[in-house]
Amino acid sequence: MGIGQLLVMDKITLHNKTFKPFIKNDELEAIIDNVADRINADFEGCTDVPIIICVLNGAVMFTAAVMKRLNFNVELCSIKLSSYVGTQSTGTVLVPLGLTSDVKDRRVIIVEDIVDTGNTIVALKELLYSKGATDVKICTMLMKPDVYAKPDKLDYVGKAIPNAFIVGYGLDYDELGRQYKDIYVIDE
Ligand code: IMP
């Protein structure tokens, strides 16, 4: 089999779009090691139990991978916010599923798959502070600096990527593609 055929086989098709390899799982593992090291360093010796908030559904894989590497006690809860329909951010943040833990007087680490405009993460951060969280840190596997439009600091960023639509490792295109262990970028 020639190289051309292998490259074609590496591509995936979801609905009507084709995606090509972008970030291999090996690189993702190294990115996650690095993020977890930084969180462990910041929370070293903590006596409280911070809450990890997994932003459903996209951050499921990344949250699990980060949590496995943490060396202090955490509590896990999940929330669902979405500002995406298809491949474009709508700018509208929806909250179909609520918080499953009381964040009052607690430190919180939000774990996201990707930050694009920042609408989702900043809305969630404000929601958590309004519910009495004492400190809210943002941890995201990926971010798109060309699109991010908020003054808020992103505390733990795995990798900055160009403004392109990606899938895999939890990220979807209209609910498909989440299960891939590598990340793929739209092939246009
Ligand atoms: P934001 O609110 O514009 O920052 O969008 C963040 C949310 O949009 C993430 O939680 C993802 O679910 C989704 N999203 C942003 N970029 C992508 C992408 O390239 N592929 C798939 N989903 C994305």
Side-chain angles (χ1 to χ4, degrees):
M1 188 180 294
I3 285 176
Q5 281 165 292
L6 274 176
L7 287 175
V8 170
M9 280 182 66
D10 280 347
K11 292 183 181 181
I12 58 171
T13 301
L14 304 172
H15 298 297
N16 56 341
K17 298 201 186 300
T18 305
F19 295 82
K20 60 188 177 187
F22 185 53
I23 307 175
K24 287 281 179 200
N25 188 261
D26 287 355
E27 187 185 348
L28 285 175
E29 292 284 323
I31 286 168
I32 297 162
D33 283 344
N34 181 275
V35 164
D37 285 350
R38 283 185 278 148
I39 298 174
N40 280 329
D42 285 355
F43 285 81
E44 190 182 355
C46 73
T47 51
D48 59 330
V49 178
I51 300 176
I52 300 281
I53 299 217
C54 171
V55 183
L56 298 171
N57 292 317
V60 164
M61 282 200 198
F62 179 56
T63 303
V66 169
M67 278 186 72
K68 281 190 277 188
R69 291 160 165 87
L70 297 183
N71 56 23
F72 56 97
N73 287 332
V74 293
E75 196 178 302
L76 173 66
C77 91
S78 303
I79 191 168
K80 188 159 187 174
L81 301 172
S82 179
S83 65
Y84 255 73
V85 176
T87 61
Q88 295 290 311
S89 179
T90 63
T92 313
V93 178
L94 309 169
V95 189
L97 276 186
L99 279 174
T100 55
S101 290
D102 184 1
V103 297
K104 190 166 180 343
D105 300 328
R106 304 287 296 274
R107 290 200 288 173
V108 175
I109 305 169
I110 304 172
V111 183
E112 251 290 28
D113 50 0
I114 189 164
V115 173
D116 188 300
T117 62
N119 288 333
T120 308
I121 209 82
V122 169
L124 177 52
K125 186 174 161 185
E126 285 166 6
L127 179 78
L128 295 169
Y129 275 124
S130 78
K131 289 184 177 297
T134 54
D135 182 54
V136 180
K137 296 256 189 288
I138 295 174
C139 170
T140 185
M141 177 168 68
L142 302 168
M143 83 163 295
K144 298 178 183 173
D146 297 343
V147 195
Y148 186 65
K150 303 284 180 186
D152 302 64
K153 180 183 169 210
L154 302 177
D155 302 276
Y156 311 105
V157 176
K159 185 180 171 89
I161 62 165
N163 182 21
F165 191 77
I166 59 166
V167 294
Y169 210 83
L171 288 146
D172 73 305
Y173 167 47
D174 282 348
E175 298 306 329
L176 294 186
R178 295 193 196 277
Q179 83 270 24
Y180 291 96
K181 66 182 173 57
D182 301 325
I183 288 184
Y184 296 79
V185 65
I186 200 159
D187 190 19
E188 289 178 324

